[in-house]
Amino acid sequence: MSQTTQFRVLDFDCPTCASVVERALESTEGVESAAVHYTTGRVEITYDENAAEPATLERTIENQGYTPQPA
Amino acid sequence: MTLDRLPPDWRRYYAKHRKAVVTAVTGLLYVVGWSLGFLADAALASAAVLVLATIVGGYDIAKRGYYELRSRTLGIKTLVTLAAVGAIGIGAYWEAAAVVFLFSLGSYLEGRTMRKTRSALQELLELTPDTAIVRRDGELVDVPAREVEVGEIVLVKPGGKIPVDGEVVDGESAVDQAPVTGESAPVHKADGDEVYAGTINQDGALEVRTTGAGSDTTLQRIIRRVEEAQEAQSPTESLIDRFATYYTPAILALSIGAFAVTRDAMLALTLLVIGCPGALVIGPPVSIVSAIGNAARNGILLKGGEHLETAGKIDLVAFDKTGTLTRGETTVADVAGFGVEADEVLRLAAVAEKKSEHHLASAVLEAAAERDVAGGRVETDGGAAVEATRPGGETAITDPDAFDVVPGKGVVASHDGREIVVGNRALLADEGIAVPDEVADYVREREAGGETAVHVVRDGTVVGAVALRDELREAAPEVVRSLQDAGVRTVMLTGDNKRTARTVAEEIGIDEYRAALLPEDKQAAIEAFREAGHVVAMVGDGINDAPSLATADVGIAMGAAGTDTAIETADMALMADELTRIPDAIALSKATRWNVYENVAIAVLTVGLLLAAVLGSVVHLAGGMLVHEGSVLLVIVNGMRLLRY
């Protein structure tokens, strides 16, 4: 089953940073698609709930050095 | 770095302000190392401190640079890391520390200012209270606002925020709707009026029947629309993004080439630092996001930056007349009977119009109830809404037996074996019904006063006419004038006949009017204006004129707060029913277009001058970084001016 979750990252400081996070999420186990918007800081992730969970996705964003907040 | 031994609240503080702490420490070390450099015998100490500054400040940058490389993106952090490492490699310790410090300071400030634009929407989200007082089983209970069910009665205390979308069922009060519609003056609300979650109840207690809660409220829809708009790229933005993907590799190649030719490592490293077109990529989105945010705060919803760019070029605004230039509250001004009583004329018209959804129909039915032409109660079922029940006098207008709408012309109905036709000249001509002179004179006279008159026909004979009036909005003449002052041509489109239209057009001072239009004619008129080379905005209610709105370059729906379709489909949705927002929105679009140009100009000039100065060895590593970061901050600050336009 596909699930969608959202986070908000307020501290992107350049458009490239957002695309880096997007790619890191896309290469995470169980993630089907990820959209990270530099302008609003919104992160939208569609994932397979049998293979990933919001907590790990949140950690993926943290590991890239950003602070995700629940959206 | 392990921080586990620090007290937890220190750790939290550090995690939150890591960037600021790192920047400050780097800056401090940089100053110490740089000062030591002036002492004769402290060269080694100076170098050591400067290298330490580079490491402290550069650790996070290098880590991000590594992520960039790993995700095959060539970003500024990679370039800065390369430049710093290279500078240390050639013994330029001061430059290495300076580049790292300036970059962290710059990106810290950029992050902070962007956070401001990003959290503007957050503030909107926080408008809705978390809990609602709901009447359940006769008891008043506090429940989380998002768990209120549709149909439940919510109690709103004076001074409290309204937690759900709904309809007032009891009480009356003034409600401050600024958060949702941008209207500055409070709006009076009583029985049957719509209220929105996130608006502020001022002085009376209200009971509200819920129509939407949680994520299904107008405010939530607005927030979603604004986010989507801010995330949508305008044509200018995508053009720049395409340019940026080639620019960085080109500068990198130039840097390697320059080193191969001149053997000047400093020059090559400096080129790396300016190899990211930062201001160019960041400038336009900041302008557009700020403008969309500002518009939303003023009750103007935009579909995206693209529409903002188009709206900045508008040179012709077409208005639908009814409900846009007029209040859309049609009332019966006069009824005339020819050979029958006026009340009978009104009754016939009411029977024929009973199931019609036309705005004229509700006016006729309301007047019928008011005048009590049938001594009973008006019942409606899915037809025109009637709110005219007088104590003691209620009208029973019976349903027609058959009923047929002729769009743009009127209705043909039958009742009690009689045929009733209610409509304009065109309909009578279609039906082959002759209009007696006295009726024609009456109709002409009412039209010359800016009213709309419909003929009432019983079994092929014209027995009377009903004159209807729709008051002009007070702001209409002033709005038309301010558009004309801004060099915008104004046109009124209406289904009314020429005489009525001319009177209204003269009263408003509009440049041009097109009368007797059917809905498809309005669309054709918009098309014709566009073919003549105009950039056309069409203003309407977003429901009846959806096709024309879609045809125009920019479709503007007015009073959209209560209608989801208008919010979803219009390029620009004005939440409040205020004409004056239109010149405001167009002015903001023009300002935004200029702001984007300014930002592109700042960026292109900076990059061009910097490149020239670097290649001419006028500017070196630290100077290059300073100008680069300075230009990024400059475009962000310039774009953010639109937040307060």
Side-chain angles (χ1 to χ4, degrees):
Chain A
M1 256 311 279
S2 285
Q3 278 284 349
T4 302
T5 182
Q6 287 203 11
F7 298 104
R8 191 173 294 276
V9 176
L10 292 178
D11 46 5
F12 286 134
D13 51 22
C14 65
T16 318
C17 318
S19 44
V20 168
V21 172
E22 190 169 287
R23 286 185 196 170
L25 284 166
E26 278 168 352
S27 58
T28 304
E29 175 84 22
V31 172
E32 288 158 16
S33 69
V36 179
H37 302 279
Y38 161 72
T39 42
T40 54
R42 199 167 63 91
V43 179
E44 200 174 4
I45 312 163
T46 309
Y47 62 97
D48 175 358
E49 62 180 339
N50 301 321
E53 55 173 2
T56 46
L57 299 173
E58 192 169 358
R59 246 195 317 281
T60 307
I61 302 173
E62 278 169 359
N63 289 341
Q64 298 286 329
Y66 296 97
T67 359
Q69 303 172 351
Chain B
M1 297 193 192
T2 56
L3 305 159
D4 303 343
R5 276 167 303 175
L6 291 170
D9 47 348
W10 278 40
R11 271 216 305 277
R12 254 198 308 277
Y13 181 85
Y14 176 74
K16 198 172 159 196
H17 300 281
R18 178 177 176 121
K19 238 180 177 165
V21 173
V22 167
T23 305
V25 171
T26 310
L28 199 70
L29 288 170
Y30 165 69
V31 171
V32 170
W34 182 66
S35 316
L36 281 173
F38 287 102
L39 301 177
D41 50 358
L44 187 63
S46 161
V49 176
L50 287 168
V51 170
L52 183 64
T54 311
I55 292 170
V56 169
Y59 176 78
D60 283 359
I61 302 172
K63 199 164 81 176
R64 298 253 175 105
Y66 164 69
Y67 291 140
E68 279 177 4
L69 284 179
R70 214 177 45 180
S71 66
R72 297 197 190 78
T73 319
L74 190 56
I76 185 147
K77 285 163 179 147
T78 315
L79 298 178
V80 169
T81 310
L82 283 176
V85 171
I88 287 178
I90 59 171
Y93 306 117
W94 174 80
E95 281 86 353
V99 161
V100 164
F101 168 63
L102 288 171
F103 181 76
S104 8
L105 181 64
S107 64
Y108 166 69
L109 293 173
E110 285 150 32
R112 265 193 71 130
T113 42
M114 279 307 288
R115 175 187 287 264
K116 272 212 186 78
T117 56
R118 287 186 191 120
S119 47
L121 270 185
Q122 295 282 93
E123 286 159 24
L124 271 182
L125 279 168
E126 285 154 13
L127 288 171
T128 319
D130 296 332
T131 59
I133 308 167
V134 179
R135 178 167 292 144
R136 281 185 185 167
D137 311 324
E139 300 272 309
L140 290 178
V141 282
D142 265 345
V143 295
R146 59 177 181 282
E147 289 174 19
V148 178
E149 306 275 331
V150 170
E152 286 194 304
I153 304 291
V154 173
L155 204 77
V156 189
K157 291 181 174 155
K161 281 184 182 159
I162 296 173
V164 294
D165 276 13
E167 217 174 69
V168 176
V169 288
D170 194 20
E172 60 181 295
S173 176
V175 173
D176 173 7
Q177 302 204 113
V180 172
T181 65
E183 289 163 294
S184 42
V187 184
H188 180 263
K189 299 279 179 183
D191 262 13
D193 287 334
E194 268 186 292
V195 292
Y196 307 112
T199 56
I200 304 135
N201 178 22
Q202 294 192 315
D203 47 16
L206 289 175
E207 288 197 19
V208 175
R209 187 185 303 113
T210 308
T211 54
S215 62
D216 186 32
T217 64
T218 302
L219 183 65
Q220 291 290 343
R221 270 190 289 274
I222 292 174
I223 291 167
R224 278 200 293 275
R225 269 304 300 274
V226 172
E227 288 221 297
E228 282 163 16
Q230 291 185 329
E231 288 159 2
Q233 275 207 321
S234 74
T236 308
E237 290 176 74
S238 21
L239 184 78
I240 286 171
D241 273 8
R242 278 203 301 280
F243 167 80
T245 44
Y246 296 110
Y247 176 83
T248 305
I251 294 282
L252 203 59
L254 182 67
S255 160
I256 294 164
F259 183 68
V261 173
T262 62
R263 293 280 151 204
D264 181 349
M266 203 53 164
L267 170 68
L269 293 176
T270 310
L271 282 170
L272 282 186
V273 159
I274 63 165
C276 203
L280 192 57
V281 176
I282 290 175
V286 174
S287 310
I288 284 173
V289 165
S290 303
I292 290 173
N294 176 345
R297 269 208 318 276
N298 288 296
I300 303 165
L301 280 196
L302 289 151
K303 226 183 195 164
E306 185 188 344
H307 305 287
L308 210 52
E309 286 186 7
T310 314
K313 301 180 203 159
I314 288 170
D315 63 356
L316 187 146
V317 177
F319 293 90
D320 186 44
K321 176 182 139 292
T322 305
T324 306
L325 291 171
T326 62
R327 288 176 195 274
E329 297 161 3
T330 310
T331 51
V332 171
D334 189 56
V335 182
F338 297 92
V340 296
E341 285 297 306
D343 276 0
E344 175 61 7
V345 172
L346 189 56
R347 192 187 66 83
L348 288 167
V351 170
E353 295 275 7
K354 184 164 173 196
K355 287 190 171 278
S356 162
E357 295 195 10
H358 199 272
H359 61 95
L360 297 182
S362 45
V364 168
L365 284 162
E366 235 166 279
E370 196 93 353
R371 293 199 187 193
D372 196 13
V373 290
R377 184 185 151 71
V378 177
E379 294 164 18
T380 54
D381 45 353
V386 172
E387 299 169 325
T389 45
R390 284 185 308 122
E394 295 182 331
T395 309
I397 293 294
T398 42
D399 282 14
D401 304 326
F403 158 82
D404 199 12
V405 174
V406 188
K409 295 179 180 176
V411 297
V412 179
S414 65
H415 176 65
D416 260 355
R418 287 173 174 266
E419 190 202 43
I420 313 170
V421 176
V422 179
N424 57 15
R425 287 186 195 82
L427 182 62
L428 270 59
D430 289 352
E431 299 279 322
I433 298 162
V435 183
D437 284 347
E438 53 177 345
V439 182
D441 288 344
Y442 170 80
V443 168
R444 261 199 299 274
E445 178 197 335
R446 300 310 298 198
E447 285 173 347
E451 289 172 3
T452 307
V454 291
H455 310 75
V456 180
V457 184
R458 188 177 63 193
D459 292 333
T461 311
V462 180
V463 291
V466 180
L468 298 121
R469 171 171 279 289
D470 185 1
E471 292 297 328
L472 273 183
R473 287 180 193 270
E474 270 165 47
E478 153 206 353
V479 165
V480 164
R481 208 171 26 253
S482 71
L483 285 172
Q484 288 163 339
D485 290 346
V488 176
R489 188 164 179 75
T490 51
V491 183
M492 177 175 87
L493 305 179
T494 176
D496 280 347
N497 66 82
K498 246 195 164 88
R499 209 167 295 113
T500 310
R502 188 185 315 132
T503 308
V504 174
E506 280 166 4
E507 214 168 320
I508 299 176
I510 207 156
D511 292 324
E512 192 182 327
Y513 66 92
R514 303 273 171 98
L517 301 177
L518 300 171
E520 57 267 34
D521 299 337
K522 290 183 188 174
Q523 206 178 342
I526 300 280
E527 195 56 60
F529 287 133
R530 290 189 62 199
E531 274 163 13
H534 287 289
V535 179
V536 183
M538 166 82 194
V539 188
D541 62 7
I543 305 161
N544 305 320
D545 40 26
S548 328
L549 253 55
T551 307
D553 293 290
V554 181
I556 305 178
M558 235 172 65
T563 45
D564 303 346
T565 30
I567 296 181
E568 294 300 327
T569 54
D571 300 325
M572 201 185 266
L574 310 178
M575 305 314 283
D577 216 3
E578 288 175 353
L579 264 181
T580 45
R581 299 276 170 205
I582 294 165
D584 293 350
I586 291 176
L588 177 70
S589 306
K590 284 201 164 121
T592 308
R593 224 173 113 220
W594 273 108
N595 198 284
V596 169
Y597 291 159
E598 285 161 12
N599 277 354
V600 170
I602 291 171
V604 169
L605 273 174
T606 310
V607 166
L609 290 174
L610 209 50
L611 208 54
V614 169
L615 291 173
S617 288
V618 179
V619 167
H620 298 297
L621 203 46
M625 190 80 247
L626 183 67
V627 174
H628 181 277
E629 288 300 307
S631 69
V632 172
L633 279 174
L634 187 61
V635 295
I636 291 183
V637 170
N638 186 44
M640 282 175 74
R641 281 191 312 144
L642 291 170
L643 280 173
R644 284 181 300 276
Y645 177 76

